[in-house]
Amino acid sequence: MRRRLLDIIHRFYLDAISRLPPAEFRRTTGLARGLHVGGHCFGPLHPVHNIVVNSIWYAAAFPVRRPAGSDDEDEANALLSTDGIARICHRSLDGLVAALRDLCPSLSNGDALWRLFSTSADLTAAVALANGVSKSINYLSKVLVPSSPHEPSVSPLMLSAQVLDCIASQKQQFKGIGNQVVNVVNMALQQYTQRSGEQLKLHSVCGASLLMEEGLENCYHINFLAYHEGSGSAVGAPVLFFTEAIILSCYETDIRLCVPVDPVTDIGCCFACESNRKMVVHPCYDEYLGGLEFQEDEVDYGSDFPSPLDVDYIFFDADRDSAFANYLWRDSTDH
């Protein structure tokens, strides 16, 4: 098991090396030293990303100070030390085991090796496996925001009845719209799977625009992510979809289009969505409503959002959103 883990970790180093600029490896005081000495694969990120970050950090934090009178050239060839890479692989594995046993004291050395092997040497995933939680939100939260024993107390924000009613009403409204959109997406995905034969499950809805142009009532353009299912679990990266749907009634929806889209290559655009300032990826190879041709000066591409958004209500924090609460209070008194 240890040998197979070392093989996995070695592949991480080869991947990380391929991502780093080769010219930096020709400087003996640069990334080559950072990689060999401090570029361990453990940390809060994916192992490959940990190697890259740790190598860059070590090279920057501990630069080489040459002995007085040394005339060594600060250049090396493209050959990295094979033994040095093997050593950092072993050190990384030892560090992974030590870190996992420190975070999960009940594990034996063998238990730690098994969990690391089961999660392809990913420390955060191994901690999650040991604790029976998902990868690993609790661990990352503690690493990124350590608890402070002397946090100052915050006076609770006193909210008027009008503000509370406004927030509750908007939350309910957005919940209703959300349920409607998810129902539309599930119908679209069901039709797509029946047509394609692929087994797909909804991951999340990541963009929805209700078209406001004349003659386009109750027409939605929606982006959602769905993943393939194999033996009851997710397989591969989620696929991004675009769907156009017209809600005819509470019980009937016309799914006009549902196709996979690539956010890099698909550059289709829609005047109605642009006017709504909705970032929805449209296909460039299918027809859809909303207007495909328009002048850029006909829409507002500004980054300023002066009016409250749905997230301001949904994620309202009474401890930190006093400015938003004051805005709502002023707005309620003006009417």
Side-chain angles (χ1 to χ4, degrees), residues 18-321:
S18 72
R19 298 168 185 245
L20 293 169
E24 289 294 325
F25 287 128
R26 288 165 173 76
R27 299 178 58 245
T28 56
T29 59
L31 287 183
R33 179 173 178 273
L35 175 80
H36 287 118
V37 181
H40 302 98
C41 77
F42 48 82
L45 308 176
H46 183 275
V48 175
H49 302 154
N50 286 328
I51 294 169
V52 173
V53 171
N54 288 337
S55 299
I56 295 172
W57 166 78
Y58 194 91
F62 303 102
V64 171
R65 184 172 65 86
R66 295 207 174 275
S70 174
D71 58 353
D72 291 345
E73 293 184 359
D74 190 26
E75 290 291 330
N77 58 34
L79 176 65
L80 296 171
S81 169
T82 304
D83 291 339
I85 292 174
R87 185 180 68 178
I88 197 68
C89 286
H90 281 267
R91 287 180 172 177
S92 281
L93 178 54
D94 292 339
L96 284 169
V97 172
L100 181 55
R101 294 191 66 188
D102 180 69
L103 293 166
C104 305
S106 63
L107 297 181
S108 67
N109 194 70
D111 292 334
L113 285 171
W114 170 249
R115 280 161 177 78
L116 287 168
F117 178 74
S118 300
T119 55
S120 298
D122 188 322
L123 179 60
T124 57
V127 173
L129 179 63
N131 292 332
V133 298
S134 61
K135 179 193 172 182
S136 175
I137 302 301
N138 291 335
Y139 170 66
L140 281 176
S141 297
K142 293 177 181 177
V143 169
L144 297 175
V145 187
S147 59
S148 173
H150 303 294
E151 293 183 357
S153 59
V154 179
S155 299
L157 186 63
M158 302 302 294
L159 302 176
S160 67
Q162 294 95 324
V163 170
L164 290 173
D165 288 344
C166 178
I167 293 173
S169 175
Q170 291 293 328
K171 280 186 176 181
Q172 190 63 33
Q173 178 181 339
F174 294 131
K175 182 179 180 180
I177 294 173
N179 289 337
Q180 185 181 59
V181 170
V182 170
N183 289 337
V184 169
V185 167
N186 283 327
M187 292 177 60
L189 188 58
Q190 183 178 15
Q191 290 187 16
Y192 179 83
T193 55
Q194 290 174 349
R195 185 172 70 251
S196 66
E198 300 177 58
Q199 295 299 314
L200 292 161
K201 186 174 181 179
L202 177 63
H203 177 282
S204 58
V205 179
C206 49
S209 175
L210 177 60
L211 307 191
M212 307 300 291
E213 294 300 297
E214 184 176 353
L216 298 179
E217 295 182 359
N218 297 324
C219 179
Y220 275 101
H221 283 178
I222 303 171
N223 279 157
F224 65 91
L225 290 164
Y227 56 82
H228 291 85
E229 286 190 299
S231 302
S233 61
V235 178
V239 179
L240 182 66
F241 281 84
F242 169 86
T243 187
E244 179 178 85
I246 299 178
I247 299 177
L248 303 175
S249 67
C250 295
Y251 308 101
E252 188 177 358
T253 300
D254 178 20
I255 307 297
R256 297 175 55 90
L257 185 65
C258 182
V259 292
V261 289
D262 187 335
V264 176
T265 59
D266 283 322
I267 54 174
C269 54
C270 162
F271 176 69
C273 289
E274 296 286 346
S275 299
N276 284 347
R277 302 178 73 182
K278 304 294 186 184
M279 301 181 70
V280 176
V281 178
H282 293 67
C284 58
Y285 49 83
D286 283 289
E287 294 185 358
Y288 42 84
L289 302 175
L292 303 181
E293 296 183 3
F294 56 91
Q295 300 295 323
E296 289 195 9
D297 57 5
E298 294 179 315
V299 297
D300 175 21
Y301 289 99
S303 59
D304 185 29
F305 291 84
S307 300
L309 304 179
D310 52 2
V311 292
D312 298 321
Y313 295 94
I314 296 170
F315 302 116
F316 176 77
D317 186 335
D319 290 333
R320 297 175 175 85
D321 295 340

